[in-house]
Amino acid sequence: MPAPRILPLAAMIAMAWSAQAFGQEKPATAKPEAVKAAPAQPQASKPAAETKTDKPIEKTLPQPATTVEPPPLPSADVINPERFGAKPADAAYGAFQRGLYRTAYNLALPRAQNGDPAAATLLAEITSRGLGVPLNFPEAAKWYAQAAERGVPEAQFQYALMLIEGRYVKKDEKGAFALMQAAAEAGNRLAQFNFAQLLVQQDAGDDGLAKAVPYYERAAATGLADAQYAMAQIYANGVGGKKQDDARARRLLEQAARQNYDTAQLDLAQWMVDGRGGKRDLAGGFGWMKRAADGGNVAARNRLAKFYMAGIGVEPDANLAAAWYIVARRAGLIDQDMEDFLRGLTTEEIKKALQQANRLP
């Protein structure tokens, strides 16, 4: 599985609040290679011309004043109290859930100072996200460390990320490995995925993948799209102790794709067009490729251009083919087949394609 990029700490912290994919796209066709760091998604090789730009991982939560009752958080941002190592049905947690972050901080502080791990985790969440208080990663690290020592899986996971990055605390890969494993064994699905990544990093061969597979599987079973995509690649390539099973890989790709995981959408589209792992479905493949392209996946935009050029799952349309390739090209992707296609267009056709490209998402 190719090496992932190391995310900024703020992005790492955001992982615990969202299951969105955050890696680069690549089709699941080549044997996975070793990763160099966690967190990131496992990927497979693709033509060097196809790349994509990064996109934001998660929106920033509102930071209301501490004395005015804000609107309730969206359901996706409501936090399970079990993440804090206990069921803190108390004033601090209640204030946090209502968006009164400064109040929650003030109520949790004395409890955390007295060794309460749930309160410490709550303080770490508030300070690491700048909710009602200034953003303060060093303080967050202190509280995460305290809660991690007391066995809170969420804190173990978050502090492990900090130890991996080594920006606000001393880098400690051995300590991060132990904490990530503890959080994974306790059922934290993001820790399960990232611990699998660490195992692959530790052993780049098939033995490493075999050790990682149980953790990928557990995370995938919870619905984590990153892990579903990882398992799709494992079944597609028959590695990590798993026999090749294209049908199962395709189902996993679809599960991840339905969560708007653009890399899975791209791969699923190609599999449907090729008839791999199931029946051939040109129209369905076009639909998934269009969805990935609309979402900003640069490689999908290039492939969609080819679908329009060849009439795969859609009526041929030279104008849209050129327009989608122009959009991909603006992002830095160069495809020689599409370059040849553009050279075959007239000046007027190029002009129309540029106008169309400017209207695309």
Side-chain angles (χ1 to χ4, degrees):
M1 299 177 188
R5 63 188 183 280
I6 297 176
L7 299 178
L9 183 59
M12 290 180 171
I13 297 297
M15 288 174 54
W17 298 71
S18 171
Q20 297 299 315
F22 49 81
Q24 300 172 347
E25 71 83 18
K26 296 188 179 180
T29 56
K31 183 175 180 179
E33 302 169 2
V35 299
K36 292 183 179 178
Q41 71 183 42
Q43 305 158 358
S45 63
K46 64 175 177 66
E50 294 189 2
T51 59
K52 82 166 189 178
T53 56
D54 293 340
K55 59 185 178 183
I57 293 176
E58 186 177 314
K59 66 180 184 295
T60 303
L61 289 177
Q63 301 180 25
T66 59
T67 57
V68 179
E69 189 75 15
L73 289 172
S75 59
D77 294 325
V78 174
I79 298 171
N80 185 337
E82 293 181 1
R83 285 185 56 208
F84 297 97
K87 295 185 178 180
D90 52 35
Y93 182 72
F96 182 91
Q97 290 292 70
R98 296 195 305 275
L100 301 176
Y101 303 119
R102 182 70 193 186
T103 299
Y105 179 93
N106 291 336
L107 291 171
L109 182 59
R111 288 174 44 198
Q113 290 172 334
N114 288 327
D116 186 324
T121 309
L122 183 59
L123 287 178
E125 296 282 349
I126 291 171
T127 53
S128 68
R129 297 170 63 80
L131 299 174
V133 299
L135 195 68
N136 191 330
F137 284 120
E139 182 180 355
K142 178 185 73 173
W143 296 122
Y144 275 136
Q146 177 178 306
E149 288 177 359
R150 293 178 177 267
V152 179
E154 171 66 17
Q156 291 170 333
F157 168 65
Q158 297 286 12
Y159 194 57
L161 295 178
M162 289 182 160
L163 291 175
I164 288 170
E165 191 192 35
R167 184 176 179 185
Y168 298 101
V169 296
K170 184 178 179 180
K171 190 170 185 176
D172 182 356
E173 293 182 357
K174 184 176 179 180
F177 185 92
L179 285 175
M180 196 71 77
Q181 182 176 18
E185 297 294 352
N188 184 299
R189 66 179 188 166
L190 290 168
Q192 289 165 352
F193 173 76
N194 283 278
F195 184 61
Q197 294 287 76
L198 289 174
L199 288 170
V200 175
Q201 173 191 1
Q202 193 176 72
D203 184 347
D206 199 59
D207 288 344
L209 273 174
K211 294 175 184 176
V213 160
Y215 295 96
Y216 283 137
E217 285 185 312
R218 288 166 64 183
T222 70
L224 185 67
D226 303 74
Q228 290 169 340
Y229 184 73
M231 287 307 301
Q233 289 192 85
I234 287 167
Y235 280 115
N237 294 289
V239 293
K242 298 293 185 181
K243 293 182 179 180
Q244 185 173 351
D245 187 339
D246 284 354
R248 193 164 187 176
R250 180 162 161 170
R251 288 195 297 271
L252 285 160
L253 283 177
E254 184 172 356
Q255 290 171 15
R258 292 191 180 282
Q259 296 189 66
N260 210 33
Y261 195 95
D262 62 343
T263 309
Q265 291 169 350
L266 184 154
D267 288 358
L268 177 62
Q270 195 63 56
W271 281 43
M272 294 176 79
V273 167
D274 295 339
R276 184 175 177 183
K279 68 177 182 178
R280 195 178 190 201
D281 183 353
L282 300 183
F286 172 84
W288 281 113
M289 195 66 76
K290 179 69 160 54
R291 185 167 171 179
D294 285 340
N297 186 297
V298 178
R301 291 180 168 191
N302 181 56
R303 295 202 195 177
L304 187 66
K306 292 183 175 182
F307 282 14
Y308 275 115
M309 182 176 67
I312 299 175
V314 67
E315 287 296 318
D317 190 322
N319 183 55
L320 281 172
W324 279 108
Y325 176 61
I326 288 169
V327 171
R329 193 184 189 199
R330 286 171 176 170
L333 186 152
I334 301 296
D335 185 301
Q336 290 304 319
D337 290 339
M338 295 307 298
E339 289 291 312
D340 291 341
F341 171 73
L342 286 185
R343 282 192 287 269
L345 299 180
T346 67
T347 301
E348 184 61 27
E349 287 172 330
I350 290 291
K351 181 180 178 180
K352 289 181 179 179
L354 286 168
Q355 293 172 343
Q356 180 67 48
N358 291 337
R359 294 194 291 269
L360 293 176

